[in-house]
Structures are given as C-alpha cells and as structure tokens.
C-alpha cells in the first residue's frame, strides 16, 4: 500500500468526476476519518459555505447537496417586527455584481477576494421563510445541513434593544424550521466595522453579552446559536475579548472571523491579510484562555469554533483546525475562475472540494498524512481523525 501514490491517482481521476460521498472513499482508501462538527451537528467533513450570495435560493442548496458539501449558511435576513419595520434596514441592500479579484496582502502574498456593495437579504421575510423550509427539508433528509442567518437590531449607546424584532423574526424562523432545535447563525457583518455603530468597544461587548439571551428568549424552540464575529477595527486583544464575551453569554459556536473592512473603498475584503489576522487571534485566544486551577477545578465554558477566511487549501483548513476549529466556512474559494481549479469537470463547488481534499501537496488528506509522518497525528482504532487535530482533542 502506498497512500501517496494512491492520492496522486485519486487526484487525477477525480478531476473528471468527484464522488458525492468522497468522505467514505477517503475513509476506506486511506483510513482517514474527515468527520467534523458544526453547531453541535456531526457532518461528514469540515467544509461548508458561509452566508452570502451563494446561498439565497433553493437551486443553490440543491447543487450544494448534490456536490457533497457538508453545510450551507443561508444569506443573512434582516430582522423585522410584526409591522414589517426593520431598524437595520440599511443592511437590506440589493447586491450589485460580485467581482472576483486578486488582492496583495501587506506581507506581499497575492490572494483572492470577492467584492460587492450589497449586504443582507433584500426580499420579503416570507420569501426567506420559504427558503428556510426548503433548507430544513434538506437537513432532515440528511442531504445537507442548512442554517439560517440573521442580523438583529444592534443599538447604539444606551439605546434599548428592539425586542419586538427579535420576537417576531425568531418565532417566524422557528415556525418555518419545525423540529427542535432551531439552528441559527447571528451575523456580525464585516461592514459593521466601517459603521459608526461599531465605533465603541463597550457597545460591541454589550451586543455580544445580550444578543444570545434575547434570541433564546424570543424562540418557542430550543436554539443552538452560532455567533459569527466581525473583525472589529481595534487590536487583536479586543478580538479575544469579543470571543470571551460571546462565550460567557452562551454562544453555542463562535465563527471566527468575518472579513476585514477597507474604509477607503467602503468594502469588505479577504485574502492573506484576513487569514493572517484570524490565525494570529486564535493563537492568542488559545494562549490566554483561562485555565482551571487544581485537580478538581472546572474548566470555563469554551464554545466550539468554526474558522473562516482565506481558506483555499486543505492545509489552511488544518491551520484553523489546529487552533480549535471543528469546521470551516468558505465563500470566495467557491467563486474563482474555472481555470484556477485543477478539476476539469463539475460545478465550482465540486471542483473546490476536489482541490481542498485531494490535492497531493496542499489537500486535506495529504496534510493529515504529513502530520502522521511528523508524529503530530496518531491513529485511533486504525484511523486518523480530523477532529483529533484540535488542541483539546486529547
């Protein structure tokens, strides 16, 4: 058995036709278990789609399920009250055309970013609820884990939260979802970093402290809440403080972190600057997280993490995993020019999955085999497990 030669052959033959159940093939051929988690749900591998223009209709979700994607977070809906009024209506902006472009990082490396001027869901709540029902059906059928995303009211200063928006929107989502628990992602948009709302540290920490409680109080179903944290316009230490605040407030998962914001162009962006900062902050969080003291001490609650930002290789997935991320959300890598992907057939999702998993140099399987060779990964019951890479796995 020569797993490296087998990987080269699989990489070549799957360029033309990626099997939908590629995690089963990886497990059988390499004794590598790619099983991961998102929002407490077991998923066959760690690769999912972040909220945005690629998850705003049922056709896209069907394509994701067919391709073998693990999960998809829906486009972010803007909360409203029973009269249809939305305090965050400025975020319900119709999308302009997305532009996929190269972006050079401060350190000189050139990566990819996607630029557009729109923000959240710009159609009626009723249309969004229909999409949630379709996503719930896919989830119950085991074809694709689908998670709605919401932007709720975020007050300035000492302004009260508009709880009517939380109640009306969350109840409507719960009714559309059906069976408990209701899975939700609260999106702290990257464009908040360029808004006066997010100019005060105290205001941001207040949001993180209060929003999980308000969502749970508003829902008739038990809720599992992922909090997608923005990159605030403060230092790395404040990013860690945001994580701790959201953890203390009871977030079930932290998604780390939304895109950076270019104030000069008034657009959010990704690329190497984004992953460099995200990984640096996750390192800082791991090094400074409070530790229990003594043999009977209880470790403070630390919610599971999901990584996002400049994920264009399996090795980058492992970079996030080794800092505690159980899964990853991608957006840009699913939109690159077709010629960038090594696969010659299939949808962009299939071509992306092929590269992320099977690339013999930079893919996820190769990365796990490399860790084993370096004795940084050990087999359990004869298998390498992706989740064993996480620092708290042992």
């Amino acid at each position: 058995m020569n797993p490296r030669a087998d990987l080269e052959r699989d990489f070549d033959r799957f360029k033309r036709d990626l099997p939908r159940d590629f995690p089963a093939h990886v497990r059988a051929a390499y004794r590598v278990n790619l099983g991961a988690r998102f929002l407490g749900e077991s998923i066959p591998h760690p690769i999912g789609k972040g909220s945005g223009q690629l998850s705003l209709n049922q056709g896209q979700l069907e394509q994701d399920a067919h391709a073998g994607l693990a999960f998809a977070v829906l486009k972010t809906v803007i909360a409203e009250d029973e009269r249809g009024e939305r305090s965050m209506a400025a975020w319900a902006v119709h999308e302009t055309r997305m532009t996929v472009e190269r972006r050079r990082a401060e350190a000189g490396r050139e990566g990819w970013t996607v630029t557009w001027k729109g923000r959240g869901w710009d159609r009626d709540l009723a249309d969004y609820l229909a999409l949630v029902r379709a996503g719930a059906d896919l989830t119950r059928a085991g074809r694709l884990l689908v998670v709605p995303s919401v932007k709720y009211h975020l007050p300035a200063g000492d302004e009260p939260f508009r709880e009517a928006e939380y109640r009306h929107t969350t109840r409507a989502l719960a009714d559309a979802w059906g069976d408990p628990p209701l899975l939700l992602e609260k999106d702290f948009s990257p464009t908040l970093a360029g808004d006066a709302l997010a100019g005060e540290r105290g205001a941001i920490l207040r949001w993180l402290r209060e929003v999980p409680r308000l969502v749970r109080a508003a829902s008739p179903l038990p809720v599992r809440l992922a909090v997608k944290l923005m990159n605030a316009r403060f230092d790395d230490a404040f990013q860690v403080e945001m994580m701790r605040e959201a953890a203390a407030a009871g977030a079930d998962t932290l998604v780390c972190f939304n895109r950076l914001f270019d104030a000069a162009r008034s657009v959010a962006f990704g690329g190497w600057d984004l992953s460099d900062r995200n990984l640096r902050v996750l390192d800082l969080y791991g090094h400074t997280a409070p530790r229990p003291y003594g043999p009977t001490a209880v470790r403070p609650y630390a919610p599971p993490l999901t990584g996002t930002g400049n994920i264009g290789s399996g090795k980058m997935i492992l970079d996030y995993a080794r800092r505690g991320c159980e899964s990853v959300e991608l957006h840009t890598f699913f939109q690159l020019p077709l010629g960038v992907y090594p696969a010659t057939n299939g949808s962009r999702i299939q071509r992306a999955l092929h590269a992320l998993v099977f690339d013999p140099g930079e893919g996820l399987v190769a990365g796990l085999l490399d860790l084993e060779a370096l004795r940084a990964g050990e087999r359990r019951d004869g298998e390498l497990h992706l989740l064993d890479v996480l620092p708290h796995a042992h």
Side-chain angles (χ1 to χ4, degrees):
M1 177 181 175
N2 185 340
R4 298 293 176 169
D6 292 342
L7 188 56
E8 291 272 4
R9 282 193 294 270
D10 280 344
F11 179 65
D12 187 59
R13 69 189 179 113
F14 292 156
K15 286 179 180 179
R16 297 174 295 279
D17 186 19
L18 179 72
R20 185 196 179 281
D21 196 3
F22 62 84
H25 172 82
V26 168
R27 192 169 188 179
Y30 305 98
R31 306 300 293 160
V32 169
N33 188 331
L34 297 179
R37 286 188 292 264
F38 179 60
L39 255 185
E41 296 290 320
S42 295
I43 49 179
H45 62 85
I47 305 164
K49 179 186 286 184
S51 175
Q53 281 298 91
L54 303 182
S55 51
L56 50 67
N57 62 59
Q58 187 174 347
Q60 290 170 322
L61 299 182
E62 289 287 349
Q63 290 175 0
D64 294 343
H66 176 74
L69 201 64
F71 67 94
V73 182
L74 298 180
K75 181 73 175 173
T76 302
V77 70
I78 310 303
E80 63 183 52
D81 63 20
E82 61 278 359
R83 296 172 296 182
E85 295 182 0
R86 296 176 292 186
S87 58
M88 307 293 281
W91 269 263
V93 176
H94 183 71
E95 306 288 347
T96 55
R97 185 174 64 87
M98 292 186 290
T99 302
V100 181
E101 55 192 355
R102 303 290 268 171
R103 184 178 179 103
R104 186 176 296 277
E106 289 184 6
R109 287 179 295 182
E110 196 169 72
W112 292 96
T113 188
V114 176
T115 303
W116 72 98
K117 292 286 188 178
R119 291 178 172 182
W121 183 266
D122 64 326
R123 285 173 262 162
D124 291 340
L125 178 59
D127 293 335
Y128 194 81
L129 298 177
L131 184 60
V132 171
R133 284 189 285 271
D137 288 342
L138 287 168
T139 300
R140 281 189 288 269
R143 298 180 58 210
L144 176 72
L145 177 65
V146 179
V147 176
S149 172
V150 193
K151 183 180 295 300
Y152 292 99
H153 173 238
L154 299 174
D158 295 328
E159 176 191 357
F161 284 87
R162 299 194 184 184
E163 296 187 31
E165 293 184 7
Y166 283 78
R167 285 193 300 270
H168 178 72
T169 302
T170 308
R171 289 173 184 174
L173 290 168
D175 288 344
W177 184 258
D179 299 333
L182 171 62
L183 306 180
L184 281 181
E185 184 174 282
K186 164 63 183 120
D187 185 9
F188 283 90
S189 169
T191 56
L192 273 172
D195 192 279
L197 270 178
E200 304 226 354
R201 297 172 185 236
I204 296 173
L205 297 178
R206 180 192 175 204
W207 300 339
L208 295 172
R209 210 164 31 239
E210 295 295 328
V211 166
R213 176 187 64 80
L214 291 169
V215 173
R216 295 187 199 286
S219 177
L221 297 178
V223 177
R224 284 193 209 150
L225 183 67
V227 175
K228 188 171 189 179
L229 296 166
M230 65 180 172
N231 267 297
R233 58 176 185 262
F234 303 112
D235 59 14
D236 293 353
F238 184 71
Q239 289 296 118
V240 172
E241 191 173 359
M242 289 168 59
M243 295 178 72
R244 289 180 178 167
E245 201 70 57
D252 295 291
T253 293
L254 301 182
V255 183
C256 306
F257 299 96
N258 227 322
R259 296 190 301 162
L260 298 168
F261 189 75
D262 185 334
R265 296 179 60 194
S266 295
V267 295
F269 68 93
W272 289 102
D273 285 332
L274 175 57
S275 57
D276 286 348
R277 189 189 199 206
N278 287 0
L279 296 175
R280 188 174 68 237
V281 170
L282 290 172
D283 277 335
L284 184 61
Y285 178 69
H287 294 156
T288 62
R291 296 285 191 266
Y293 181 78
T296 60
V298 177
R299 183 177 294 277
Y301 173 68
L305 307 179
T306 288
T308 188
N310 192 40
I311 298 169
S313 70
K315 294 290 183 72
M316 183 63 82
I317 295 173
L318 288 174
D319 283 342
Y320 278 99
R322 297 180 77 180
R323 291 162 174 83
C325 296
E326 297 183 332
S327 52
V328 289
E329 293 184 7
L330 284 69
H331 195 264
T332 297
F333 194 65
F334 294 141
Q335 302 180 71
L336 303 186
L338 288 178
V340 174
Y341 304 108
T344 56
N345 194 31
S347 68
R348 276 186 171 81
I349 301 296
Q350 290 170 312
R351 296 180 193 218
L353 289 171
H354 166 260
L356 293 167
V357 175
F358 291 102
D359 186 288
E362 295 293 317
L364 188 53
V365 175
L368 287 166
L369 293 175
D370 287 345
L371 289 178
E372 181 184 31
L374 294 170
R375 298 186 181 277
E378 297 181 0
R379 291 185 182 262
R380 178 161 48 87
D381 299 325
E383 293 184 335
L384 285 174
H385 292 253
L386 171 66
L387 289 179
D388 284 353
V389 171
L390 274 64
H392 61 265
H394 304 289

